[in-house]
Amino acid sequence: MPTIDSILKETRQFPPSEDFRQHATISGMNSYKGLCEQADNQYLPYWEGLARELITWKKPFTRVLDDSNAPFFKWFDDGVLNVSYNCLDRHLAKHADKTAIIFEADDGTVTRASYAELHRRVCQFANGLRSLGIAKGQRVIIYMPMSIEAVIAMQACARIGAIHSVVFGGFSAKSVQERIVDAGAVAVITANEGMRGGKAVPLKAVVDDAYGLGNCSSVKHTIVYQRTPSTPNQWQEDRDIWWHKLVEGQADSCEPEWMGAEDPLFILYTSGSTGKPKGIQHSSAGYLLGAMNSFRWVFDIKPNDVFWCTADVGWITGHSYVCYGPLSMAATQVIFEGVPTYPDAHRFWQMIERHKVSIFYTAPTAIRSLIKLGSDFPRQHDLSSLRLLGTVGEPINPEAWIWYHEVVGKGRCPIVDTWWQTETGSIMIAPLPGVVATKPGSCTLPLPGVMADIVDESGETVEPGKGGMLVIKKPFPSLVRTIWGDPERFKKTYFPEEFKGQYYLAGDSAHRDEHGYFWIMGRIDDVLNVSGHRLGTMEIESALVANSMVAEAAVVGRPHEIKGEAVVAFVVLKGPRPDGEEARKTVEQLKSWVAQEIGKIAQPDDIRFGDNLPKTRSGKIMRRLLRAIARGEEITQDTSTLENPAILQQLQEPAA
């Protein structure tokens, strides 16, 4: 197979300021290289040292790694701990009164919880779960709005050893039912409703609909948090119980269930190419270590920081950098319910100003949507509390990076562009902010101990500038342990025989530049084969968004009898959606622009305009739908998770 061609050239560099570098947890390139050399030369002692330094163990481990049944690796497997204890109890001696969570609801109402208060509420809820007979190893579905209660539910499950599986609160009844059935869940924790952009979102009703789809007999209890005054239409007395009734009279202390290091902490379902969701199973100790260490190093966390990750707990980012990473490191964090543009586009910037947020971690999709609304909104607010910015979820195109750096960070905040996955559990590649001179659009260098490489189909390292498949060559503690109930699918998906089962295959294409920086080019299945050239979709999208007219773009391929694949671009402009002659002119301008930016080979054959792109409620672009539209196919996939289903009609219309 030929290597993937890299067509994006970015030469701008932004080193950290001398002041930031001097005060950083990891300061300067020599410190970074020293850690990398330690990991290279003494891989197991390196991870052993981190695990002993960061985790509080009930019974310390004596074995670091058991790879005798690869790729089903075991880390620290004879150690005993409890993840909730590591997030709460151990902080009470020094940080009982420190604010753990600042929660801002959809209507702007603010609630705060100290570490002592959070510990008390987690213990009460954990005791409530135990009173229902929920025990170690049983699975619990959590289908909640963003709230302190969502974190309490996750922490309480971890405390009693129940395996939680959080389902994003925008998913359909069918999605909930599939996860209940696959996990064999004994309970569902939900709310009567959530609030989003001023509108009530039914949650208990969706759970009831999920039950109605059948095969949910494993569920014995539904625990319902009353988020709004409304009363659910359905209530089954022997199964449904209000959250506040469950915790009434419960003790405010709860002995943790002491867990083996390899006992599962949670299952998180992610989409698979077959359509059946994959239950990604993470361990207790290895996952926690990855979340803790990456949180302190990548975000350079300090005792007085206020950290805000905008992700929902329904995604891995919300697990690692809302529920577990910040709390395990005794940080103060912001959680918000709602959307960035409600009640208006001031929301994010008002919250940063109001809560003196110092570290802001969000998705490129959110950044691009805010760019479209203009720079006047952030400029009206005091964002001087910010000292570090971050991005997560997909590669950020260079022009959005520059806007984020200049308009939000005022040119003084390093940006950590993080690459990682549900399966890796924690950040793998990112610029350590006191070390790396960043480049817009590059996630830069692997964290010490992450043995990342870019290889061709035979597993050989490709030369700099050439694209290939991103792999991690050695097991690491936070790696997915298996796919729940399907170990063969786990091996086939992540440790394919082509690599002799040795390398973790990320499923992303990437290349390295002359400085060794990693550039993510898109998913392997999002690579286009145009006239014999393999082109990454992300690079074409970045070129389009570099045009001053364009707010956002998504690129897919469709079959072409001569070129193999044609490039189809779906574009959101900063101004109104054009039609007629104006649309035709805009299409020609953008085609010429791409040809000029990266070459005629990447020029789109077809450009469609929409007021938005089809996204899930988490902001993820549904590229499968775009591929179906590009090919003129009937859309048969489930669109219930779409934020904006009406947009599909717009995108089916050729621009000119």
Side-chain angles (χ1 to χ4, degrees):
M1 182 192 77
T3 55
I4 301 162
D5 293 327
S6 172
I7 48 182
L8 180 68
K9 304 299 178 190
E10 177 60 61
T11 57
R12 292 170 287 189
Q13 290 195 47
F14 296 83
S17 69
E18 185 58 25
D19 181 65
F20 195 104
R21 188 192 65 76
Q22 284 183 359
H23 294 96
T25 305
I26 299 180
S27 175
M29 186 57 74
N30 287 339
S31 298
Y32 168 77
K33 286 181 177 177
L35 287 165
C36 290
E37 286 172 12
Q38 182 187 343
D40 286 343
N41 298 330
Q42 294 185 303
Y43 192 67
L44 295 186
Y46 168 83
W47 286 113
E48 177 184 3
L50 290 174
R52 296 198 191 283
E53 174 193 356
L54 292 174
I55 293 175
T56 299
W57 297 89
K58 178 72 170 177
K59 176 188 164 219
F61 60 91
T62 63
R63 290 189 298 269
V64 180
L65 172 65
D66 178 359
D67 58 1
S68 60
N69 189 28
F72 301 97
F73 303 104
K74 295 180 180 179
W75 286 86
F76 325 117
D77 64 306
D78 62 340
V80 175
L81 77 162
N82 180 275
V83 171
S84 176
Y85 182 94
N86 273 270
C87 291
L88 299 171
D89 305 58
R90 66 175 181 165
H91 302 320
L92 297 180
K94 291 184 179 179
H95 304 297
D97 296 329
K98 183 176 181 177
T99 300
I101 296 173
I102 303 166
F103 171 64
E104 184 163 317
D106 191 62
D107 63 359
T109 303
V110 176
T111 309
R112 289 176 169 82
S114 67
Y115 272 90
E117 168 76 359
L118 193 61
H119 175 264
R120 180 182 66 80
R121 293 185 63 189
V122 167
C123 286
Q124 287 179 325
F125 192 63
N127 285 326
L129 295 179
R130 277 182 171 160
S131 74
L132 298 177
I134 298 169
K136 176 180 177 178
Q138 293 183 322
R139 279 76 62 203
V140 175
I141 297 290
I142 298 174
Y143 185 65
M144 293 279 287
M146 276 301 285
S147 56
I148 294 176
E149 286 73 19
V151 173
I152 289 170
M154 296 168 75
Q155 288 282 343
C157 286
R159 193 167 194 86
I160 67 171
I163 302 167
H164 65 66
S165 184
V166 184
V167 182
F168 173 58
F171 274 5
S172 66
K174 185 172 185 294
S175 296
V176 175
Q177 184 253 6
E178 285 175 344
R179 288 153 175 77
I180 289 171
V181 172
D182 192 70
V186 300
V188 175
I189 303 171
T190 188
N192 63 332
E193 294 179 322
M195 294 300 299
R196 185 177 177 84
K199 298 175 183 175
V201 179
L203 294 174
K204 171 66 163 63
V206 172
V207 172
D208 288 330
D209 288 346
Y211 295 155
L213 293 172
N215 300 318
C216 294
S217 58
S218 61
V219 175
K220 307 303 179 191
H221 303 285
T222 313
I223 300 132
V224 186
Y225 165 59
Q226 186 154 19
R227 168 65 183 87
T228 67
S230 77
T231 303
N233 291 330
Q234 296 182 47
W235 196 266
Q236 190 171 308
E237 288 295 338
D238 61 343
R239 184 190 65 202
D240 300 343
I241 182 170
W242 286 110
W243 177 304
H244 58 273
K245 294 287 187 185
L246 181 65
V247 299
E248 263 180 17
Q250 297 290 353
D252 55 11
S253 64
C254 175
E255 177 68 13
E257 185 75 33
W258 297 104
M259 309 290 285
E262 279 297 319
D263 284 339
L265 176 63
F266 64 84
I267 304 165
L268 184 57
Y269 286 87
T270 186
S271 60
S273 57
T274 64
K276 184 190 176 191
K278 296 176 291 189
I280 302 301
Q281 178 185 315
H282 276 289
S283 71
S284 294
Y287 167 80
L288 180 64
L289 178 61
M292 293 175 76
N293 194 52
S294 58
F295 180 72
R296 68 165 179 168
W297 280 358
V298 175
F299 300 110
D300 189 48
I301 200 72
K302 300 287 190 286
N304 295 324
D305 275 321
V306 177
F307 176 79
W308 182 16
C309 169
T310 66
D312 191 283
V313 290
W315 311 109
I316 188 63
T317 306
H319 283 56
S320 300
Y321 303 111
V322 175
C323 184
Y324 292 116
L327 296 179
S328 64
M329 298 302 292
T332 296
Q333 67 171 317
V334 173
I335 296 177
F336 98 115
E337 173 189 50
V339 294
T341 52
Y342 178 83
D344 53 40
H346 290 285
R347 178 77 190 270
F348 269 11
W349 321 123
Q350 282 175 334
M351 286 183 63
I352 290 170
E353 182 176 24
R354 182 182 302 131
H355 304 303
K356 301 290 186 285
V357 172
S358 55
I359 304 168
F360 183 57
Y361 190 41
T362 195
T365 297
I367 295 166
R368 288 191 293 265
S369 67
L370 292 164
I371 289 172
K372 189 184 179 192
L373 297 170
S375 301
D376 289 344
F377 290 99
R379 284 177 176 150
Q380 291 178 49
H381 298 277
D382 179 4
L383 306 182
S384 59
S385 60
L386 289 171
R387 69 179 193 87
L388 184 65
L389 302 173
T391 67
V392 60
E394 60 182 309
I396 182 169
N397 55 288
E399 295 314 308
W401 193 103
I402 291 293
W403 184 90
Y404 196 32
H405 183 259
E406 293 180 353
V407 177
V408 180
K410 302 294 189 287
R412 57 180 180 75
C413 299
I415 296 177
V416 288
D417 174 358
T418 62
W419 177 84
W420 60 296
Q421 301 174 307
T422 303
E423 293 86 348
T424 70
S426 62
I427 294 166
M428 296 282 103
I429 307 176
L432 296 181
V435 171
V436 178
T438 51
K439 296 182 184 182
S442 171
C443 53
T444 70
L445 300 172
L447 269 58
V450 175
M451 305 307 179
D453 198 4
I454 300 165
V455 302
D456 60 21
E457 262 193 345
S458 63
E460 296 298 319
T461 300
V462 301
E463 62 187 78
K466 288 292 185 184
M469 292 175 279
L470 180 57
V471 297
I472 300 176
K473 289 188 164 182
K474 285 190 177 181
F476 50 93
S478 65
L479 177 65
V480 53
R481 291 304 190 257
T482 189
I483 293 175
W484 179 260
D486 200 344
E488 285 306 311
R489 188 181 183 192
F490 168 74
K491 286 198 291 186
K492 184 178 177 182
T493 303
Y494 301 116
F495 291 89
E497 290 181 4
E498 305 93 274
F499 302 152
K500 301 180 177 62
Q502 297 298 308
Y503 299 167
Y504 168 75
L505 179 64
D508 281 337
S509 58
H511 78 275
R512 261 182 303 215
D513 65 19
E514 67 277 13
H515 296 114
Y517 285 19
F518 283 72
W519 297 77
I520 307 302
M521 299 165 66
R523 296 293 293 170
I524 290 171
D525 54 9
D526 282 341
V527 172
L528 307 182
N529 197 336
V530 181
S531 299
H533 296 266
R534 290 169 56 79
L535 307 177
T537 54
M538 188 280 294
E539 299 190 319
I540 306 173
E541 291 167 5
S542 291
L544 283 163
V545 177
N547 187 285
S548 60
M549 295 188 292
V550 177
E552 195 163 15
V555 168
V556 299
R558 71 168 178 230
H560 189 283
E561 60 181 8
I562 297 171
K563 296 192 290 186
E565 278 189 287
V567 178
V568 182
F570 297 88
V571 172
V572 180
L573 298 175
K574 292 176 181 173
R577 184 165 60 98
D579 56 20
E581 182 61 18
E582 184 189 357
R584 190 191 66 77
K585 286 181 178 177
T586 306
V587 165
E588 291 307 314
Q589 282 178 274
L590 292 177
K591 285 184 177 182
S592 298
W593 172 267
V594 172
Q596 174 189 317
E597 286 287 294
I598 55 178
K600 199 160 175 111
I601 188 68
Q603 185 173 284
D605 297 76
D606 185 3
I607 295 179
R608 312 275 182 96
F609 297 112
D611 295 327
N612 211 319
L613 296 174
K615 297 173 186 172
T616 63
R617 292 178 181 88
S618 71
K620 192 170 185 178
I621 298 168
M622 295 188 72
R623 293 173 190 275
R624 291 182 190 177
L625 293 180
L626 293 179
R627 279 194 282 270
I629 292 171
R631 294 168 185 172
E633 298 169 352
E634 182 183 353
I635 294 174
T636 57
Q637 296 141 319
D638 179 17
T639 58
S640 62
T641 61
L642 272 182
E643 176 79 19
N644 47 1
I647 218 72
L648 298 178
Q649 181 75 36
Q650 281 183 8
L651 298 173
Q652 285 169 333
E653 301 165 6

